[in-house]
């Protein structure tokens, strides 16, 4: 936890005059309201959190492979001796683990993607609210080319990366993701790597999911990156030459797909997330509730104002009390328009889910929101004064 806090503090100093990058958010170096937890909730509201779950699961798969390679080297053996098929594949095609396995760092990184399969225990995913207490390990992300294994028939897929599963957005369900820290009670084996890849394939890339499981959250991928089959079985070790050859591709299997998901989120969802959280502090549901309340209160204020005029109530100064409903109504209506509540900003709060808030801790975001809150407050005050003075100045006329 101390390391996480130190990393966040160091990153915050470098972001005093800029918004965070997507890489910084994914590596948990940012603070609320532009941290990974808030980004997950943002995707969850749109029903597209599966693409982030996939990225996080592949990140863990790659961390697991790195841990395996490091265990081998600590045992005194080389990767070439322990896994000659992978060594030959990585030497010819390149690998993202080049520095870990001892390959020449100047080798190319182009490779092809196929398919494969026994799983590390598929634990219940932890609530993302605890994400701040976990350590993140960043992986290199070279741009790679890849081609999927061909099959006779191709299942229908969705057409947009952010309409992934056709499910209704779930605002209040528990946010979940794969743990970043890999629990280990024994040395990692190659069967564990197959298991990890099999779980990812059947959860995110197969149109049918694991047999007997409802955990199929198929994501969109372009045709060149689709993996249509997983010929390995997690229940036994590869036996044939073809299975051994496919197993050698397990460590790098999903990296090209992970890179595609990264780019898709970075170019589409992330800019909208920054606009929502760096320039506003309300959720869509909360903003809609403010619109409804604002219209009702404005109707009440106008009704009272016209009653005072047409009943010619004396003294005329009583009309000044109209500023109360007008202030509330205009505050709520403008808060809906800007998706920003200035009162919450002055209290240092931003909504995570409807009517639940957390403290704004990202320095530059705090400065941006404070500036916008001052502008909204001035606008609310000007509209409230103008409306109150109009109703005060109109001559009374008893009907």
């Amino acid at each position: 936890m101390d390391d996480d806090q130190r990393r966040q503090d160091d990153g915050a100093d470098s972001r005093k005059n800029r918004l965070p990058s997507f890489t910084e958010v994914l590596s948990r170096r940012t603070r609320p309201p532009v941290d990974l937890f808030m980004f997950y909730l943002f995707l969850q509201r749109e029903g597209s959190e599966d693409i982030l779950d996939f990225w996080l699961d592949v990140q863990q798969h790659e961390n697991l492979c790195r841990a395996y390679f490091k265990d081998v080297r600590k045992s005194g053996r080389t990767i070439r001796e322990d896994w000659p098929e992978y060594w030959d594949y990585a030497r010819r095609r390149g690998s993202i683990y080049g520095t870990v396995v001892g390959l020449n760092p100047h080798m190319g990184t182009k490779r092809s993607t196929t398919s494969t399969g026994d799983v590390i225990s598929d634990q219940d995913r932890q609530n993302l609210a605890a994400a701040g207490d976990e350590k993140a390990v960043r992986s290199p992300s070279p741009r790679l080319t890849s081609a999927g294994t061909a099959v006779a028939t191709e299942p229908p897929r969705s057409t947009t990366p952010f309409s992934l599963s056709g499910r209704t957005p779930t605002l209040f369900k528990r946010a979940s993701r794969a743990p970043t820290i890999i629990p280990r009670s024994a040395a990692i084996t190659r069967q564990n790597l197959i298991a990890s890849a099999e779980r990812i394939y059947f959860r995110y890339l197969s149109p049918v999911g694991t047999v007997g499981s409802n955990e199929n959250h198929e994501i969109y991928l372009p045709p060149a990156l689709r993996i249509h089959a997983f010929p390995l079985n997690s229940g036994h070790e590869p036996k044939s030459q073809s299975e051994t050859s496919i197993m050698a591709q397990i460590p790098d299997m999903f990296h090209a797909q992970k890179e595609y998901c990264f780019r898709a989120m970075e170019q589409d969802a992330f800019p909208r997330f920054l606009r929502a959280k760096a320039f506003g502090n309300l959720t869509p549901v909360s903003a809609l509730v403010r619109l409804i309340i604002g219209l009702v209160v404005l109707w009440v204020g106008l009704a009272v104002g016209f009653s005072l005029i047409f009943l010619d109530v004396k003294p005329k100064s009583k009309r000044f009390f109209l500023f109360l409903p007008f202030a509330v109504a205009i505050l709520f209506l403008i808060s809906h328009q800007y998706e920003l509540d200035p009162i919450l900003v002055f209290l240092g709060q931003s909504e995570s889910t409807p009517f639940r808030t957390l403290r704004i801790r990202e320095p530059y975001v705090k400065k941006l929101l404070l500036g916008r809150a001052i502008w909204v407050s001035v606008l609310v005050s000007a509209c409230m004064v103008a409306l109150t003075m109009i109703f005060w100045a109109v001559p009374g006329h008893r009907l």
Side-chain angles (χ1 to χ4, degrees):
M1 181 64 183
D2 292 339
D3 292 340
D4 290 340
Q5 189 62 48
R6 192 179 303 112
R7 184 171 62 247
Q8 286 185 344
D9 291 341
D10 293 341
D13 291 339
S14 67
R15 295 191 303 273
K16 287 183 178 179
N17 296 304
R18 66 173 177 86
L19 290 171
S21 67
F22 187 42
T23 300
E24 290 172 329
V25 172
L26 287 180
S27 58
R28 302 184 189 88
R29 289 183 291 165
T30 58
R31 298 174 171 182
V34 288
D35 58 343
L36 183 61
F37 172 64
M38 295 292 283
F39 182 59
Y40 191 95
L41 293 179
F42 177 82
L43 291 179
Q44 198 176 60
R45 283 196 291 269
E46 299 186 346
S48 56
E49 72 275 14
D50 288 337
I51 195 169
L52 179 56
D53 276 332
F54 172 77
W55 192 96
L56 292 167
D57 279 351
V58 175
Q59 177 78 4
Q60 172 162 323
H61 173 74
E62 293 178 353
N63 289 344
L64 188 72
C65 294
R66 284 190 181 85
Y68 171 80
F69 293 136
K70 290 179 180 178
D71 284 350
V72 171
R73 298 185 69 175
K74 287 178 181 178
S75 70
R77 303 186 66 192
T78 64
I79 305 300
R80 187 173 187 176
E81 296 170 341
D82 179 78
W83 195 353
E85 296 86 2
Y86 169 75
W87 174 267
D88 182 63
Y89 169 80
R91 184 175 55 81
R92 289 184 293 105
R93 299 292 186 89
S95 172
I96 62 172
Y97 312 97
T99 56
V100 180
V101 301
L103 290 172
N104 187 335
H106 300 294
M107 284 183 174
T109 56
K110 183 177 180 179
R111 64 180 186 277
S112 63
T113 303
T114 43
S115 14
T116 320
D118 177 4
V119 191
I120 304 167
S121 57
D122 193 9
Q123 306 170 343
D124 289 339
R125 300 167 151 235
Q126 303 173 4
N127 190 323
L128 195 61
D133 295 333
E134 297 174 348
K135 295 182 180 180
V137 181
R138 296 178 61 195
S139 65
S141 55
R143 294 189 64 83
L144 306 167
T145 59
S146 133
T149 304
V151 290
T153 59
E154 181 177 317
R157 305 260 175 154
S158 57
T159 56
T160 166
F162 291 98
S163 297
L164 303 178
S165 58
R167 291 177 294 141
T168 304
T170 47
L171 281 174
F172 301 106
K173 79 175 186 181
R174 290 172 64 85
S176 61
R177 64 173 186 79
T180 304
I181 298 177
I182 302 168
R184 297 172 59 184
S185 57
I188 297 171
T189 67
R190 271 178 264 174
Q191 285 301 106
N192 294 143
L193 305 187
I194 296 178
S196 174
E198 183 183 55
R199 180 176 66 89
I200 291 173
Y201 172 78
F202 283 111
R203 178 170 292 180
Y204 301 106
L205 305 181
S206 168
V208 295
T210 307
V211 176
S213 172
N214 294 323
E215 293 191 51
N216 174 246
H217 306 306
E218 184 190 4
I219 64 170
Y220 168 84
L221 289 173
L225 294 179
R226 293 175 186 169
I227 302 175
H228 302 306
F230 199 85
L232 297 184
N233 190 319
S234 62
H236 58 77
E237 295 185 5
K239 297 178 181 178
S240 67
Q241 182 63 36
S242 62
E243 289 182 341
T244 303
S245 175
I246 291 172
M247 183 177 176
Q249 302 177 45
I250 285 292
D252 297 284
M253 187 174 188
F254 304 111
H255 192 73
Q257 290 80 359
K258 175 188 170 189
E259 285 295 294
Y260 171 81
C261 292
F262 178 93
R263 302 302 173 195
M265 290 188 290
E266 183 181 46
Q267 295 170 14
D268 185 357
F270 186 65
R272 290 185 285 108
F273 167 70
L274 286 184
R275 283 196 296 271
K277 294 303 175 185
F279 298 96
N281 67 341
L282 298 179
T283 60
V285 171
S286 180
L288 180 61
V289 170
R290 281 170 168 77
L291 173 64
I292 295 171
I293 294 176
L295 291 175
V296 171
V297 175
L298 180 62
W299 179 84
V300 171
L302 292 175
V304 172
F306 282 113
S307 298
L308 293 176
I309 292 173
F310 292 120
L311 293 176
D312 196 17
V313 175
K314 303 293 184 178
K316 193 176 181 180
S317 58
K318 288 183 178 180
R319 299 184 193 177
F320 282 122
F321 288 101
L322 290 172
F323 84 91
L324 291 173
F326 289 159
V328 172
I330 294 171
L331 173 63
F332 280 13
L333 293 175
I334 294 182
S335 293
H336 165 265
Q337 180 65 30
Y338 286 88
E339 292 192 347
L340 182 141
D341 188 325
I343 297 176
L344 286 179
V345 173
F346 294 140
L347 294 175
Q349 301 293 313
S350 179
E351 286 192 341
S352 55
T353 55
F355 312 110
R356 292 188 177 183
T357 63
L358 45 72
R359 181 162 291 279
I360 302 170
R361 298 177 57 203
E362 187 70 20
Y364 188 62
V365 172
K366 184 183 296 186
K367 182 165 65 174
L368 286 176
L369 288 176
L370 186 59
R372 286 174 62 84
I374 293 173
W375 158 247
V376 168
S377 299
V378 170
L379 187 59
V380 168
S381 299
C383 292
M384 181 267 294
V385 170
L387 200 54
T388 303
M389 293 304 296
I390 288 174
F391 273 83
W392 173 80
V394 173
H397 179 75
R398 189 173 185 87
L399 296 179

